[in-house]
Every structure is written in structure tokens, then in C-alpha cells.
Amino acid sequence: MASMIKGPGIFLAQFAGDAAPFNDLAGIAGWAAGLGYEGIQIPVDPRFIDIDLAAGSKDYCDELKGVCAEAGVEITELSTHIQGQLVAVHPAYAPQFDGFAPEALRGRPEAQAEWAAGEVIKAARASRNLGLDVQLGFSGALAWPYLYPWPQRPKGLVEEAFAELARRWRPILDAHEEVGVDYAYELHPGEDLMDGTSFERFLEAMDGHSRANIAYDPSHFVLQQLDYLGFIDLYHERIRAFHVKDAEFNPSARQGVYSGFAGWADRAGRFRSLGDGQVDFVAVFSKLAQHGYDGWAVLEWECALKSPAQGAAEGAPFIAAHIIEPTPHAFDDFAGGGVDRAQIRAMLGLGT
């Protein structure tokens, strides 16, 4: 039988907190299992994982896996979205991202980038110790403030931005190569890697690095009005992770893609809980199954209207209902008959 998508899984980042059961691995793993999830995607957060210890100790990683197994789930991937973001930050955004870094590095963007690169590399080693072959996160951004070409961009600005992004990520991805782990970039507005064109530009700057891959999330493509199904056809060989997240785009006479600085609840494009938006998940799961994706389907819950508790509770059965069990044979095999070459040639009007 062909490979099958695994799931349902849940990304823990939006649910982590300082109160039980969301403040330690055992508690949140048990909570997720109780909702019907079979896997948890773990952000590199000290409440859930000591990344220094995990990078160097398989025994420690086996303990983490044991905690999860006891709760009834397994680890799907590690997430370094926050750390990946800090690999490349434009000065305009440095004050907003300063809180992502350790307190000792506040106000020191170059030191933050060096620290972040080291953390992503540690997470690759930890992934290998956990028996995982992919982690996911953000690329960071240098060119994002210049996305819209007005005022006119100086010639070479975008090329230089991507050359620098590649310079920062190459040693990180080389370290991934050493341990046999892929990095799946979540293509996301606010990052320099936000669609197929920008990913291809980065890949070219990275000389096609085999460890540069994609975390597929159709919600970000709905908000960009991108063909999220055709995207799978184009890039399925690089899709190594899958966030199941819904969104809707309802343009009006007042606003469109940019939404006039409105808050999330009032934007033309906004994230929704699974089934409440416009993503055709039947088609998404079908496309991924058609192309042989056998990774995890992981809920990333974000919604401008619905509570996280309701969104999480509804997510597991929604994903489970969409996972396709591949057929072991063609549906019309029953109508087939035994034939030989002579019969085939006779059917074509050809001599023996």
C-alpha cells in the first residue's frame, strides 16, 4: 500500500502557557491526547524541551519520547519559528522582535542572529536524537519592507538581500545535512520566503540546497490569493511538513489584500478555525496523497473569532476525517481480464 499521511497532530505554540496543563510537556501532551491528537509539534521552548541537552543526549531525547508515549502521543517535529525569525531581522522590525531573544542579547541584533543560528542547529541535532528527519520554522526577513515596489527599489537590492539571507542560512543548512535533517520553511508574509517565487529565489541563491524545503500552509496562500492547490503540484518534492490551517478572503469596496491596517477580526483576509474558512481541504489532502506526502498533518490553530479551546477540540476529528487511506488497487481492476501480447496486437489490428 502507498504511504499515508500521518495525523492528526497539533502545533503547541498557540496553546503554551504558564498554567497547567499547558506549562510542561507531560501536561500538554496529555491534554492533546485527550482531544484525539496522535502527535504534537513542539516549539523549542524551555517549558517543553531543554534544547542544549537534547542536542547532545539521545538518552534525554528518549526520555522526552517516553513522556509523550505515556500520554498517548508522539513528537511530529520540532519548531524553530522564533529562532529562525531572528536569523535575519531588518532594523525596522528589530524593536518588535527584541523580546524573542534572551534578555542578555536585547538590543544586539547581530548577537541575536548568531545565537538564533546556533539554536536552529541545536534543534537539528536534537531532531536527529529524537529520530526525526525534519524541523520547521521561519526564514527571517531583510527585504520585506521593500515588498511593494514604491518608491522604486534600487537595482540589486532584492538580489543583495537574498544573497545575505543565503549567506546566513548556508552554514545552518550544511549542519542539517551533517545530521540528515531537512529544514522546512513556513512560507509566510512577513518573511522573505512567503511564496513560490521567493522560495525559488532563495533556492537559487543556495545552489539548490537539498535541505531547504517547505512547510505547506494553505491559509497564508488564501490571504495572498495564490493557487494553493497548484502550488502542491509545483513544489510537492520539497513539501516536508504540513500545517492544517484555515483562512478566508472577503474583499470589499473598502479593502482587499492589504486590509487598510484593520485588526484581524475586521480584515478582508483572516485566519479561521478548521472548516470555518474557505480552504478546500478535501482537495488539499487529495493532492498531497496523490503526490505521496507521508508526513504529519498538524493543526495550527489561529482564529479571529473562535476560542482556542473550541478550535483545538474540533481540529482532531476534522483532520482525521480528511486523511486518505491509499487504495491498494485500481477501482476498476474487477473488470480487467487476462490478456497477452498477441491479443493486444489483435485488438489494435496488428499482425502477430
Side-chain angles (χ1 to χ4, degrees):
M1 182 178 291
S3 298
M4 184 171 167
I5 296 173
K6 296 187 282 289
I10 185 170
F11 184 29
L12 300 182
Q14 283 81 9
F15 302 97
D18 295 325
F22 306 108
N23 60 346
D24 65 30
L25 184 60
I28 203 166
W31 166 81
L35 292 176
Y37 292 98
E38 298 178 7
I40 54 174
Q41 189 177 92
I42 300 179
V44 174
D45 179 318
R47 287 172 290 197
F48 306 133
I49 184 171
D50 181 330
I51 198 62
D52 291 309
L53 195 53
S57 172
K58 190 175 183 306
D59 288 342
Y60 171 71
C61 288
D62 287 343
E63 291 176 14
L64 295 180
K65 290 165 66 176
V67 169
C68 293
E70 186 173 349
V73 295
E74 60 182 288
I75 301 170
T76 67
E77 301 98 357
L78 298 182
S79 150
T80 47
H81 284 78
I82 296 300
Q83 296 82 354
Q85 179 72 69
L86 290 181
V87 169
V89 175
H90 188 280
Y93 294 99
Q96 293 166 266
F97 289 133
D98 207 39
F100 287 0
E103 189 171 351
L105 300 180
R106 302 283 167 82
R108 300 168 54 198
E110 291 184 5
Q112 291 175 11
E114 183 178 353
W115 169 83
E119 294 298 291
V120 176
I121 290 171
K122 289 176 191 174
R125 294 169 180 159
S127 296
R128 176 46 55 221
N129 285 336
L130 287 164
L132 307 174
D133 58 7
V134 60
Q135 70 161 316
L136 69 159
F138 287 148
S139 67
L142 299 172
W144 180 255
Y146 308 102
L147 176 67
Y148 197 83
W150 180 258
Q152 186 176 5
R153 293 187 293 248
K155 186 176 181 180
L157 182 144
V158 172
E159 291 77 7
E160 184 62 28
F162 275 83
E164 176 63 19
L165 196 67
R167 186 192 68 79
R168 298 186 187 195
W169 274 100
R170 188 178 296 278
I172 301 173
L173 294 186
D174 287 348
H176 280 67
E177 174 65 25
E178 290 174 7
V179 294
V181 173
D182 290 333
Y183 196 88
Y185 294 96
E186 183 174 349
L187 305 183
H188 187 294
E191 311 302 315
D192 282 347
L193 305 192
M194 41 88 178
D195 60 9
T197 298
S198 56
F199 178 75
E200 287 181 21
R201 186 186 289 272
F202 177 70
L203 204 58
E204 182 179 2
M206 291 293 295
D207 301 316
H209 204 298
S210 64
R211 296 299 173 180
N213 288 283
I214 294 170
Y216 176 75
D217 183 335
S219 69
H220 301 303
F221 298 156
V222 168
L223 269 55
Q224 296 182 68
Q225 290 296 278
L226 184 156
D227 178 0
Y228 58 85
L229 297 176
F231 183 95
I232 298 173
D233 290 330
L234 284 176
Y235 301 108
H236 60 90
E237 292 181 353
R238 294 272 180 173
I239 293 174
R240 298 286 284 114
F242 173 27
H243 270 172
V244 189
K245 189 167 75 170
D246 213 343
E248 62 184 353
F249 181 67
N250 300 305
S252 70
R254 287 191 171 91
Q255 58 168 273
V257 170
Y258 300 110
S259 292
F261 300 105
W264 275 113
D266 300 315
R267 294 178 69 85
R270 57 189 186 177
F271 299 125
R272 298 298 307 276
S273 283
L274 292 186
D276 295 345
Q278 297 168 349
V279 175
D280 184 349
F281 282 108
V282 170
V284 166
F285 276 82
S286 296
K287 283 279 189 187
L288 289 171
Q290 174 187 342
H291 289 296
Y293 175 76
D294 60 359
W296 282 87
V298 176
L299 168 70
E300 183 183 17
W301 176 86
E302 290 179 347
C303 185
L305 303 178
K306 185 172 285 184
S307 76
Q310 184 179 1
E314 293 173 349
F318 184 94
I319 293 173
H322 283 79
I323 292 176
I324 294 171
E325 180 179 333
T327 178
H329 51 73
F331 68 89
D332 56 355
D333 278 358
F334 76 95
V339 295
D340 56 27
R341 185 170 182 272
Q343 181 180 355
I344 289 172
R345 290 185 64 81
M347 290 174 67
L348 295 172
L350 303 174
T352 58

